[in-house]
Amino acid sequence: MARFDVTDAEWALIEPLLPVAATGPLPRRVRDHFNGVLWRFRTGSGWRDVPERYGPWSTVYSRFNGWARAGVFQGLMGALIAEAAGRGLVGLELVSVDSTVVRAHQDSSGLAVAGETLDALEQALTEEKGAPLAKQPPVWRVVHHRPMRARPVQARRVRIVPRHGAVAKPGRGLPGSAGPAAG
């Protein structure tokens, strides 16, 4: 059975980025819980299938949920990419997008990117690949939403129905009404 635990060298990079509460006892099994989260996502199984060696599945899930809400994984990813870039181990050939998994909402097309950001991305790509990109038309597309037109108010027809038991006779109004036949 393959184990998915992080090595000691990897843990030395990861451990300082995991939050520890200012008060209370230090968690003893943080590394086991982190390995349990990795195991769960590497195997694609459910939380209840996390092996007991990583601790109770509910504790592993609770730890993951807290870390996800606190933004720990984004910070961890940024720090690990920065560490790899510092060692010269980052390249654009490592970037991969699988269209069967990544789905974009229909409204996600047409993102307006600032000119400075676009220039910086183009320069970084040119430096990485060593050849300038061909001139392309600008990618600016601003979507203007038309304001909603107000619908015209339509008059509703109201039908007056006599009260239960009250019967109108020909030529006479309803009892209690002040009509021409009331007298």
Side-chain angles (χ1 to χ4, degrees), residues 27-88:
R28 285 182 250 151
R29 301 193 65 188
V30 174
R31 185 173 181 172
D32 290 338
H33 297 159
F34 187 80
N35 285 328
V37 169
L38 290 181
W39 183 92
R40 190 261 185 219
F41 285 104
R42 285 179 178 171
T43 61
S45 64
W47 286 107
R48 291 177 186 264
D49 298 330
V50 173
E52 277 296 316
R53 68 177 176 262
Y54 299 122
W57 72 267
S58 58
T59 306
V60 174
Y61 171 75
S62 296
R63 183 83 59 181
F64 161 75
N65 200 17
W67 287 337
R69 287 184 182 174
V72 169
F73 294 109
Q74 285 85 2
L76 184 63
M77 192 62 148
L80 292 177
I81 289 173
E83 177 68 26
R87 295 179 181 185

Side-chain angles (χ1 to χ4, degrees), residues 147-153:
M148 298 283 293
R149 285 188 284 155
R151 288 184 173 176
V153 179

Side-chain angles (χ1 to χ4, degrees), residues 109-183:
S109 63
L111 173 68
V113 179
E116 303 86 36
T117 305
L118 194 59
D119 292 340
L121 288 172
E122 185 176 331
Q123 181 181 355
L125 187 60
T126 302
E127 289 172 2
E128 179 69 27
K129 297 296 180 185
L133 296 175
K135 292 294 181 188
Q136 297 182 5
V139 294
W140 294 84
R141 181 169 26 158
V142 179
V143 178
H144 296 286
H145 294 285
R146 286 183 263 147
M148 298 283 293
R149 285 188 284 155
R151 288 184 173 176
V153 179
Q154 296 179 352
R156 292 182 8 182
R157 293 186 180 184
V158 180
R159 191 175 90 182
I160 299 175
V161 179
R163 283 188 252 153
H164 182 68
V167 179
K169 295 185 180 174
R172 305 178 109 196
L174 292 174
S177 67

Side-chain angles (χ1 to χ4, degrees), residues 97-104:
V97 176
D98 184 358
S99 64
T100 60
V101 176
V102 178
R103 295 189 179 135

